Amino acid sequence: MEIKGDFEVVRKCLTTSLETSSAIASVLEESGSRLELLNERYLSLQASLRPMSMLKCTFVNIDHGIDSVLCSAAAALKVFDSVNQLEHSLLKDPCSDLHTYVSDTKKLEEALKLLTDNCSLAVGWLKGVFEFLQDKAITNEVYQLNMNKSLRILQELQAKEEGARLSGGLLSTAFDKLELEFHRLLIANSMPLPLVSLTSHIGQQALPLTSSLAGKLHAIIERLHANGRLDKCKSIYVEVRGTNARRSLKTLDLSYLEIPTAEFEAVQCVESYIDQWGSHLELVVKQLLEIEWRFSTFVFEKIGQEAWIGCFANIAIESGILSFIQFGRIVTERKNDPFKLLNLLSIFRVLNGLRLEFNQLFSWKACKEIRTVTEDLIKKVVNGASEIFWQLPAQVKLQRPTSPPTDGNVPRLVSFVTDYCNQLLSDAFKPHLTQVLRIHLSWRREAYEEGIVLSQIYNAIKEVAVNLDAWSKAYEDITLSYLFMMNNHCHFCNLRGTVLGNMMGDSWLRAHEQYKDYYAALYLRNSWGKLLPILVVQRDILSSSGSSVKSQDLAKKLNAFNLAFDESYKKQSNWVISDEILRENICRHLAEGIIPIYKAYVKNYCLSIESDAKVDKNLKYTVQSLEIKIRSLFQPKQSLKGSNIKQTDLITKIKHVSHQFRLTLAAL
């Protein structure tokens, strides 16, 4: 019974629990429906509130943008006030206070740059705000007009810097004034140089670049360079200093540089022009251009090497350096003759003496034109001089077919060649000739041998000797041939003590001394020796008792002597012995050989004649007149004339030999 009762109790408890659970499930089901309804309402509310939240955030951002516009605009207005103040200070002339003017110019540049930056920011922010309000349609017409006006004002301020840099603008005008001041300072401190001589010390006087002036020029150049006006600045500098260089050159007589190329071939005083050219070129390079080089480095030292080198190169060209090089080039283009070699060596001497200065001044890229024409001139000088020198023996040899002088004197070619070789061997030409040959051979990849100059000149003299042998055989009169050889060997003897004589040596000179004496003896024996036998008085005539027979024979011989003497004198009266000592010696030997015999003969003749009238009739020459006649022989033609005629003859002689050499070169 008890078990049954317990079971019942358990069943009731379970039934009650099931009912409770069912009730809870119904409540939960009802709560879920309500939650779903609440969730739907929340999502709907959230969707309706989202635009309001976004709008609030946008207004927050717009507020920030407006603050930025106001800040940028306020800063722009402050900068604009500074710009206005600087504009007023830049209206004055910079020469009154250059450093302040340059400083204000720089401040204005910075202020305008800051104004542009602030206006750019303000315009950007303002455009963003304006576009947003237009999109949201929350603006009105008045507000829109104000916004447009503000935007236009900011854009005008933004463009102020660009306008200031345009022609006529504030900055442009300030830079123009600085350029004018730069020009004024250069003009005030540029004076023509007194190009007188290399010994005059004008460097410091001609370079008035004080620290004060340098500071002013540097300040202007720096400001103009920072604003893209360096080219204009360099142009002004080149114009002023180039004009000053040309004014300096006006102190020199440079008329020879203006001789047209076509007329230069006929110029007679080329040597004097080359001497002037060398002196003037040294003055231009060592004084004028050296100073311009230093001045350019000082003025543009803070800008850089390229700036001052470019200016210097243009000034050098403006000074006329190329016209000097052109003059040398014209000389190299003249027709070849012996004098041209000397001219080319003189030009080489000048250029070689200026080699260090040329390398210092013109080794830069900007000086390429000057360097190129100079190198071309040196090539023409070296090649032209070497060509003429190598052909010298051949030129002498080609003169062999010409005729010897009719007066038996030293041929023009002989005297010219020996004088010419003496010049080539002198200290004025030999070192430069040696260097020219070294350079020429190095260009041909050939080795230079010591003594090559002496060997070439020796060959030329040897050809002269061969020519003399050939010419001596061309005379029909053997006596004149002896006189000719005597003259020429004497000419070689007179080379003793000269550079050429020292080169040929004592043995060579002694040999010519011996040949001179040998041909002098041959001449005396073969020319006048035939006169003396005529005056030999035979013993039977002197011992004859008949005075009339004796006087007739003596008179006959005297007349024969007169005829023979007159014939020899007439034939030899045009013969010449140019060396004074040799001429006097020959005349003395003639007088010593003829006069004593003639004097004794005349004495015998006078004793045999009773009448003075008969003596005067047959005695054509007294002892004194005969001696005077003898000593008047062999006089050079020019010594009998004025000095002007002598000089003219010398010039003619030089022209003739030069012409012959030129023809020889043409034949080669």
Side-chain angles (χ1 to χ4, degrees), residues 636-648:
K637 301 301 184 294
Q638 61 265 29
S639 65
L640 300 176
K641 302 176 183 179
S643 59
N644 290 337
I645 298 179
K646 180 178 180 180
Q647 183 178 8
T648 303

Side-chain angles (χ1 to χ4, degrees), residues 85-98:
Q85 294 176 4
L86 291 171
E87 285 181 351
H88 180 73
S89 66
L90 293 178
L91 294 177
K92 61 184 180 180
D93 196 323
C95 65
S96 60
D97 189 352
L98 178 62

Side-chain angles (χ1 to χ4, degrees), residues 272-371:
S272 63
Y273 284 157
I274 292 176
D275 291 340
Q276 290 183 65
W277 173 83
S279 300
H280 293 164
L281 184 59
E282 287 186 359
L283 287 172
V284 170
V285 173
K286 292 185 177 181
Q287 287 192 358
L288 181 63
L289 294 184
E290 171 69 20
I291 288 174
E292 292 302 330
W293 186 80
R294 291 163 56 194
F295 202 98
S296 298
T297 57
F298 284 140
V299 172
F300 292 96
E301 64 179 346
K302 292 188 176 181
I303 301 301
Q305 188 180 79
E306 184 178 352
W308 66 259
I309 290 176
C311 288
F312 168 74
N314 289 328
I315 292 171
I317 293 176
E318 286 285 328
S319 71
I321 184 69
L322 294 181
S323 63
F324 283 92
I325 305 302
Q326 175 64 16
F327 173 86
R329 188 171 180 271
I330 292 175
V331 174
T332 65
E333 293 174 351
R334 298 189 79 202
K335 294 180 181 179
N336 282 350
D337 60 38
F339 293 108
K340 182 179 177 181
L341 173 57
L342 301 179
N343 295 339
L344 294 179
L345 292 177
S346 296
I347 290 177
F348 179 83
R349 172 185 58 79
V350 174
L351 295 177
N352 190 51
L354 295 173
R355 180 166 50 88
L356 294 178
E357 286 78 9
F358 266 71
N359 289 338
Q360 176 191 5
L361 299 176
F362 307 125
S363 61
W364 316 97
K365 182 179 179 181
C367 302
K368 182 179 180 181
E369 181 180 3
I370 299 174
R371 190 170 61 252

Side-chain angles (χ1 to χ4, degrees), residues 151-188:
L151 185 61
R152 186 175 64 255
I153 293 172
L154 288 172
Q155 288 174 336
E156 289 177 358
L157 292 176
Q158 183 182 4
K160 190 170 182 63
E161 180 185 13
E162 182 179 355
R165 294 184 179 277
L166 295 176
S167 179
L170 182 60
L171 271 180
S172 179
T173 301
F175 295 147
D176 291 343
K177 289 183 177 181
L178 288 178
E179 289 174 354
L180 290 174
E181 178 63 11
F182 184 71
H183 185 273
R184 188 192 69 79
L185 288 172
L186 289 176
I187 289 290

